[in-house]
């Protein structure tokens, strides 16, 4: 009898693991989809001004711009903030998580990039609390008054919903890059195929950005991308605009 029951127990355990992995994957794909209502499509992260000034003219220029964002700009900072938030949430350390949220709220070089991250973070928390309710996420949202930078909100939610850190960080950065590619396709303009070629070519930069995020120490973290900040500042007074940043 013992022998006959062992396969059944093994099958049950495997089924539970599979369901959990599928549920985590569903959350990750949904939260990072362009259809998730955080308004990502309304932001270009200064790219609109870079195109206006001729700094980005083609697919290669677009890929170089996004690579710079990932390596030395907001991608560098956001990846580290996401990782710190994920670890604090997973450890149940509310004080550390709140410190990361406060740091993220201050860590922006321009008004438009601050709007970009805070507005998306607030929208992410609102819809995620409604569709995937979790008492810890709700408490965090309440403590922060609903205003949290997007990578911190995403990192905390990912931890509480069982998404592995590396997967969450790589997915978040990939979605960020894909949104900039989409903006570039409209602004340069480029064909859809060129957009996908640019996206495919960003894999090494995304892998490097993910590795950097997981290894980062917040008290030693910094960025060095002054031109990206200048494009963002100039975008605030750009005569005609399609995007909010």
């Amino acid at each position: 009898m013992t022998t006959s029951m062992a396969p059944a127990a093994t099958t049950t355990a495997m089924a539970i693991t599979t369901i959990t992995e599928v549920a985590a994957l569903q959350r990750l794909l949904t939260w990072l989809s362009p259809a998730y209502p955080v308004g990502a499509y309304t932001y270009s992260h200064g790219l609109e001004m870079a195109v206006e000034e001729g700094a980005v003219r083609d697919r290669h220029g677009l890929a170089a711009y996004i690579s710079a964002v990932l390596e030395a700009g907001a991608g560098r900072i956001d990846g580290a903030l996401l990782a710190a938030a994920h670890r604090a949430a997973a450890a149940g350390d509310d004080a550390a998580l709140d410190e990361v949220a406060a740091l993220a709220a201050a860590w922006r070089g321009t008004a438009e990039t601050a709007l970009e991250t805070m507005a998306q973070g607030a929208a992410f928390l609102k819809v995620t609390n409604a569709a995937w309710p979790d008492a810890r996420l709700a408490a965090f949202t309440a403590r922060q008054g609903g205003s949290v930078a997007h990578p911190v909100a995403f990192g905390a939610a990912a931890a509480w919903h069982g998404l592995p850190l590396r997967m969450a960080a790589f997915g978040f950065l990939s979605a960020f890059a894909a949104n900039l590619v989409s903006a570039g396709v409209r602004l340069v303009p480029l064909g859809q195929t060129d957009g996908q070629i640019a996206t495919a070519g960003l894999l090494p930069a995304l892998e490097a950005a993910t590795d950097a995020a997981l290894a980062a120490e917040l008290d030693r973290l910094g960025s060095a991308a002054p031109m990206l900040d200048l494009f963002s500042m100039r975008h605030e007074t750009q005569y005609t605009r399609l995007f909010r940043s």
Side-chain angles (χ1 to χ4, degrees):
M1 181 175 294
T2 301
T3 302
S4 64
M5 290 183 65
T10 301
T11 301
T12 301
M14 289 177 64
I16 292 172
T17 301
T18 301
I19 291 171
T20 301
E21 290 174 353
V22 169
L25 180 60
Q26 189 241 9
R27 284 165 173 74
L28 182 67
L29 294 176
T30 302
W31 294 353
L32 296 175
S33 167
Y36 208 62
V38 299
Y41 67 92
T42 64
Y43 302 97
S44 81
H45 204 75
L47 179 60
E48 187 166 22
M49 178 53 75
V51 173
E52 174 76 15
E53 295 192 350
V56 175
R57 303 178 181 181
D58 53 24
R59 185 184 79 219
H60 301 291
L62 176 61
Y65 187 94
I66 299 171
S67 294
V69 174
L70 292 171
E71 179 181 353
R76 170 75 171 172
I77 302 302
D78 285 358
L81 292 168
L82 186 156
H86 190 287
R87 289 171 178 143
D93 192 338
D94 290 347
L97 180 57
D98 289 346
E99 287 181 7
V100 176
L103 180 61
W107 214 331
R108 277 297 182 271
T110 70
E112 287 192 348
T113 52
L115 170 67
E116 182 177 280
T117 191
M118 299 305 290
Q120 289 187 74
F124 176 85
L125 288 174
K126 182 177 180 180
V127 67
T128 305
N129 275 308
W132 286 274
D134 181 276
R136 296 162 297 184
L137 186 62
F140 175 54
T141 302
R143 288 200 310 273
Q144 299 298 322
S147 181
V148 180
H150 194 197
V152 176
F154 186 91
W160 287 324
H161 284 271
L163 277 65
L165 174 53
R166 177 173 288 277
M167 180 188 297
F170 182 83
F172 183 89
L173 292 171
S174 295
F176 178 45
N179 186 66
L180 293 185
V181 169
S182 178
V185 166
R186 286 172 279 171
L187 288 167
V188 173
L190 299 173
Q192 293 294 337
T193 299
D194 269 342
Q196 292 308 308
I197 292 172
T199 298
L202 287 170
L203 179 58
L206 288 166
E207 291 177 328
T210 302
D211 289 340
L214 270 56
E217 300 175 23
L218 292 187
D219 58 355
R220 301 181 64 185
L221 188 64
S223 64
M227 282 306 300
L228 296 177
D229 287 338
L230 286 173
F231 285 135
S232 177
M233 292 176 188
R234 292 170 185 164
H235 185 265
E236 295 175 8
T237 57
Q238 189 170 344
Y239 182 67
T240 57
R241 300 189 300 175
L242 296 176
F243 295 88
R244 300 180 72 186
S245 72

